[in-house]
Amino acid sequence: MAPHAIHFIRHAEGYHNLLETEDIPDPDLTPKGKDQCEQLATIFPFFDRIDLVCASPIRRALQTALISTEPYLRSGKRKILALPLAQEATDTPANTPSDISRLQDEFGHVVDFHRCLAPYNDFNTKKGRWSPEGPALRARALELRKFLRSRDEREIVVVSHGNFLHYITGDIDDDGKETTGWWKNAEFRTYRYVEREGADALLEETKESVRMRGASGPGEVIGSAGTVNGKP
């Protein structure tokens, strides 16, 4: 059975956002970014229903998950699942994950990195499955949606990145341009799987989510080809 809801979060402000450069290797969150995470931890309304938290293995996403989902982690009995499929789209230094040894040293006490091992142990190469080219990004987004759909957990949080979130949620055109508003730092939106003949792993933003972020119109349905409401 597919999860009841997937809550996607864009990471909070990193130093590459502040300095407007992609040349910083795997940057940290800024102090403002950490404040954004602490604020999110107070306003996110679904902690009593969350069964799993996943995050891109890029450090700012892991840091965002650690701070913003602290109520979920508070018992000390849960870990965040590092999910290479959720990493950012481009291959700049800021959007390329660090080596697994560094990540394990820094976050291994509270992050499960087993999905960064075979067959995903090339997760920071930005080649093949991880390529920044459009077809690879669409295929990776579909693989991520299928993986999440296969989980037994009922409600899941995924911390990812502004560009790749457009591929996951399908609001992107054939030229790789987003067709809806850009995700803000530390913004969350909620989606559910829906069934449609001839399509696979469709997601639809919930009306509650659309209303909470002040958008207009119904949620958008996305599918295996990265279409929006069934249209290219």
Side-chain angles (χ1 to χ4, degrees):
M1 180 180 293
H4 175 71
I6 310 291
H7 308 281
F8 292 106
I9 298 173
R10 184 192 174 198
H11 66 81
E13 182 188 75
Y15 277 100
H16 67 305
N17 299 131
L18 176 65
L19 301 176
E20 298 184 349
T21 176
E22 297 290 311
D23 293 333
I24 305 172
D26 202 359
D28 287 289
L29 294 180
T30 64
K32 178 181 177 180
K34 293 177 182 178
D35 288 344
Q36 291 171 335
C37 293
E38 291 175 356
Q39 175 67 12
L40 180 57
T42 67
I43 66 172
F44 185 78
F46 307 117
F47 281 120
D48 61 333
R49 292 156 31 182
I50 297 304
D51 303 305
L52 177 67
V53 172
C54 305
S56 155
I58 294 177
R59 294 175 61 254
R60 62 186 179 273
L62 294 170
Q63 291 170 350
T64 297
L66 282 170
I67 301 170
S68 63
T69 68
E70 189 275 335
Y72 168 85
L73 298 169
R74 191 172 294 159
S75 69
K77 298 179 180 179
R78 294 166 166 165
K79 283 195 169 187
I80 294 163
L81 177 63
L83 202 56
L85 292 170
Q87 68 180 271
E88 184 57 302
T90 68
D91 59 357
T92 61
N95 294 327
T96 301
S98 297
D99 290 340
I100 185 64
S101 58
R102 179 189 181 186
L103 296 174
Q104 288 175 324
D105 287 345
E106 187 173 358
F107 302 103
H109 64 292
V110 72
V111 177
D112 175 358
F113 286 103
H114 83 270
R115 292 196 65 83
C116 296
L117 306 177
Y120 297 108
N121 55 341
D122 61 345
F123 72 96
N124 62 349
T125 63
K126 292 298 183 176
K127 297 178 180 179
R129 175 190 274 114
W130 319 108
S131 167
E133 299 300 320
L137 293 172
R138 293 179 190 278
R140 176 155 64 89
L142 174 59
E143 186 176 355
L144 173 61
R145 294 196 301 270
K146 287 183 173 181
F147 168 77
L148 295 172
R149 186 183 60 182
S150 73
R151 300 291 301 191
D152 293 330
E153 293 87 359
R154 296 298 292 146
E155 298 212 16
I156 299 173
V157 167
V158 179
V159 182
S160 189
H161 303 264
N163 194 339
F164 192 59
L165 278 164
H166 287 287
Y167 284 91
I168 298 171
T169 59
D171 53 342
I172 199 160
D173 63 22
D174 289 339
D175 295 323
K177 304 295 184 181
E178 64 271 11
T179 57
T180 61
W182 188 251
W183 288 63
K184 300 175 183 178
N185 287 124
E187 178 182 352
F188 73 90
R189 303 180 190 179
T190 300
Y191 291 78
R192 292 197 176 109
Y193 285 93
V194 295
E195 294 186 9
R196 179 172 292 175
E197 186 176 354
D200 194 11
L202 291 172
L203 282 171
E204 181 178 44
E205 187 177 4
T206 67
K207 292 181 179 178
E208 179 185 18
S209 175
V210 173
R211 189 166 55 248
M212 287 178 64
R213 65 186 179 90
S216 60
E220 293 176 333
V221 177
I222 61 97
S224 58
T227 59
V228 179
N229 289 333
K231 300 177 182 179

